[in-house]
Short mmCIF file of all heavy atoms in Angstrom, two decimals:
data_model
loop_
_atom_site.label_atom_id
_atom_site.label_comp_id
_atom_site.label_asym_id
_atom_site.label_seq_id
_atom_site.Cartn_x
_atom_site.Cartn_y
_atom_site.Cartn_z
N LEU A 206 42.28 -76.73 56.77
CA LEU A 206 42.45 -75.81 55.66
C LEU A 206 43.14 -74.55 56.16
O LEU A 206 43.04 -74.20 57.33
CB LEU A 206 41.09 -75.43 55.05
CG LEU A 206 40.30 -76.55 54.38
CD1 LEU A 206 38.94 -76.02 53.93
CD2 LEU A 206 41.07 -77.11 53.20
N TYR A 207 43.81 -73.88 55.27
CA TYR A 207 44.49 -72.65 55.64
C TYR A 207 44.07 -71.54 54.68
O TYR A 207 44.05 -71.75 53.47
CB TYR A 207 46.01 -72.82 55.56
CG TYR A 207 46.55 -73.72 56.63
CD1 TYR A 207 46.47 -75.10 56.48
CD2 TYR A 207 47.10 -73.20 57.78
CE1 TYR A 207 46.94 -75.95 57.46
CE2 TYR A 207 47.58 -74.04 58.76
CZ TYR A 207 47.50 -75.41 58.60
OH TYR A 207 47.97 -76.25 59.56
N THR A 208 43.70 -70.43 55.24
CA THR A 208 43.34 -69.32 54.37
C THR A 208 44.60 -68.70 53.79
O THR A 208 45.65 -68.68 54.42
CB THR A 208 42.59 -68.22 55.15
OG1 THR A 208 43.41 -67.77 56.22
CG2 THR A 208 41.27 -68.73 55.68
N PHE A 209 44.48 -68.22 52.57
CA PHE A 209 45.62 -67.60 51.88
C PHE A 209 45.32 -66.11 51.74
O PHE A 209 44.45 -65.70 51.00
CB PHE A 209 45.79 -68.24 50.50
CG PHE A 209 46.90 -67.65 49.70
CD1 PHE A 209 48.21 -67.84 50.07
CD2 PHE A 209 46.62 -66.91 48.56
CE1 PHE A 209 49.23 -67.31 49.31
CE2 PHE A 209 47.64 -66.38 47.81
CZ PHE A 209 48.95 -66.58 48.19
N GLU A 210 46.01 -65.31 52.52
CA GLU A 210 45.72 -63.90 52.57
C GLU A 210 46.54 -63.13 51.54
O GLU A 210 47.50 -63.64 50.97
CB GLU A 210 45.99 -63.36 53.97
CG GLU A 210 45.09 -64.02 55.01
CD GLU A 210 45.40 -63.56 56.42
OE1 GLU A 210 46.46 -62.94 56.61
OE2 GLU A 210 44.60 -63.84 57.30
N LYS A 211 46.15 -61.90 51.33
CA LYS A 211 46.76 -61.07 50.30
C LYS A 211 48.26 -60.93 50.48
O LYS A 211 49.03 -60.91 49.53
CB LYS A 211 46.11 -59.69 50.30
CG LYS A 211 46.57 -58.78 49.18
CD LYS A 211 45.82 -57.47 49.22
CE LYS A 211 46.28 -56.56 48.09
NZ LYS A 211 45.56 -55.27 48.11
N GLU A 212 48.71 -60.82 51.74
CA GLU A 212 50.14 -60.61 52.01
C GLU A 212 50.94 -61.90 51.91
O GLU A 212 52.14 -61.90 52.09
CB GLU A 212 50.33 -60.02 53.40
CG GLU A 212 49.74 -58.63 53.58
CD GLU A 212 48.24 -58.68 53.80
OE1 GLU A 212 47.71 -59.78 54.07
OE2 GLU A 212 47.59 -57.62 53.70
N GLY A 213 50.26 -63.02 51.60
CA GLY A 213 50.97 -64.29 51.51
C GLY A 213 51.10 -64.98 52.85
O GLY A 213 51.85 -65.94 53.00
N LEU A 214 50.37 -64.51 53.87
CA LEU A 214 50.41 -65.13 55.18
C LEU A 214 49.21 -66.03 55.35
O LEU A 214 48.15 -65.81 54.77
CB LEU A 214 50.41 -64.05 56.28
CG LEU A 214 51.57 -63.06 56.22
CD1 LEU A 214 51.36 -61.98 57.27
CD2 LEU A 214 52.89 -63.76 56.44
N GLY A 215 49.36 -67.04 56.15
CA GLY A 215 48.26 -67.98 56.34
C GLY A 215 47.67 -67.91 57.73
O GLY A 215 48.37 -67.66 58.69
N ARG A 216 46.38 -68.11 57.84
CA ARG A 216 45.72 -68.19 59.14
C ARG A 216 45.03 -69.54 59.20
O ARG A 216 44.22 -69.89 58.36
CB ARG A 216 44.69 -67.07 59.28
CG ARG A 216 43.92 -67.13 60.60
CD ARG A 216 43.17 -65.81 60.80
NE ARG A 216 42.36 -65.48 59.64
CZ ARG A 216 41.13 -65.92 59.46
NH1 ARG A 216 40.57 -66.73 60.32
NH2 ARG A 216 40.44 -65.55 58.39
N ARG A 217 45.41 -70.29 60.20
CA ARG A 217 44.91 -71.66 60.29
C ARG A 217 43.43 -71.68 60.65
O ARG A 217 42.98 -70.98 61.54
CB ARG A 217 45.71 -72.41 61.35
CG ARG A 217 45.40 -73.89 61.40
CD ARG A 217 46.39 -74.59 62.30
NE ARG A 217 46.10 -76.00 62.39
CZ ARG A 217 46.89 -76.87 62.99
NH1 ARG A 217 48.00 -76.47 63.53
NH2 ARG A 217 46.56 -78.13 63.04
N VAL A 218 42.71 -72.49 59.91
CA VAL A 218 41.28 -72.63 60.15
C VAL A 218 40.96 -74.10 60.34
O VAL A 218 41.25 -74.92 59.48
CB VAL A 218 40.46 -72.08 58.96
CG1 VAL A 218 38.97 -72.26 59.23
CG2 VAL A 218 40.78 -70.62 58.73
N ALA A 219 40.40 -74.43 61.45
CA ALA A 219 40.06 -75.83 61.71
C ALA A 219 38.85 -76.23 60.88
O ALA A 219 37.86 -75.50 60.81
CB ALA A 219 39.76 -76.02 63.19
N LYS A 220 38.96 -77.34 60.24
CA LYS A 220 37.84 -77.83 59.44
C LYS A 220 36.96 -78.74 60.31
O LYS A 220 37.42 -79.72 60.86
CB LYS A 220 38.36 -78.63 58.23
CG LYS A 220 37.24 -79.12 57.32
CD LYS A 220 37.81 -79.93 56.17
CE LYS A 220 36.71 -80.43 55.27
NZ LYS A 220 37.24 -81.25 54.17
N LYS A 221 35.69 -78.37 60.41
CA LYS A 221 34.77 -79.14 61.23
C LYS A 221 34.41 -80.44 60.52
O LYS A 221 34.11 -80.46 59.35
CB LYS A 221 33.50 -78.33 61.51
CG LYS A 221 33.76 -77.08 62.33
CD LYS A 221 32.45 -76.34 62.60
CE LYS A 221 32.72 -75.10 63.44
NZ LYS A 221 31.47 -74.35 63.69
N ARG A 222 34.46 -81.49 61.27
CA ARG A 222 34.13 -82.79 60.70
C ARG A 222 32.93 -83.38 61.43
O ARG A 222 32.87 -83.37 62.66
CB ARG A 222 35.32 -83.74 60.82
CG ARG A 222 36.58 -83.21 60.16
CD ARG A 222 37.71 -84.20 60.28
NE ARG A 222 37.41 -85.41 59.54
CZ ARG A 222 38.13 -86.52 59.64
NH1 ARG A 222 39.15 -86.57 60.46
NH2 ARG A 222 37.81 -87.57 58.93
N ASP A 223 31.99 -83.89 60.67
CA ASP A 223 30.81 -84.51 61.26
C ASP A 223 31.15 -85.96 61.61
O ASP A 223 31.43 -86.76 60.72
CB ASP A 223 29.66 -84.47 60.26
CG ASP A 223 28.36 -84.98 60.87
OD1 ASP A 223 28.37 -85.36 62.05
OD2 ASP A 223 27.36 -84.99 60.14
N GLU A 224 31.20 -86.25 62.89
CA GLU A 224 31.60 -87.58 63.31
C GLU A 224 30.41 -88.54 63.44
O GLU A 224 30.59 -89.73 63.72
CB GLU A 224 32.34 -87.50 64.65
CG GLU A 224 33.63 -86.69 64.55
CD GLU A 224 34.36 -86.62 65.87
OE1 GLU A 224 33.79 -87.07 66.88
OE2 GLU A 224 35.49 -86.13 65.88
#
Side-chain angles (χ1 to χ4, degrees):
L206 295 176
Y207 291 80
T208 58
F209 178 69
E210 298 176 347
K211 185 177 181 180
E212 296 79 13
L214 301 174
R216 178 167 53 86
R217 187 170 179 173
V218 179
K220 182 182 179 182
K221 295 181 179 179
R222 302 182 65 190
D223 186 0
E224 297 180 352

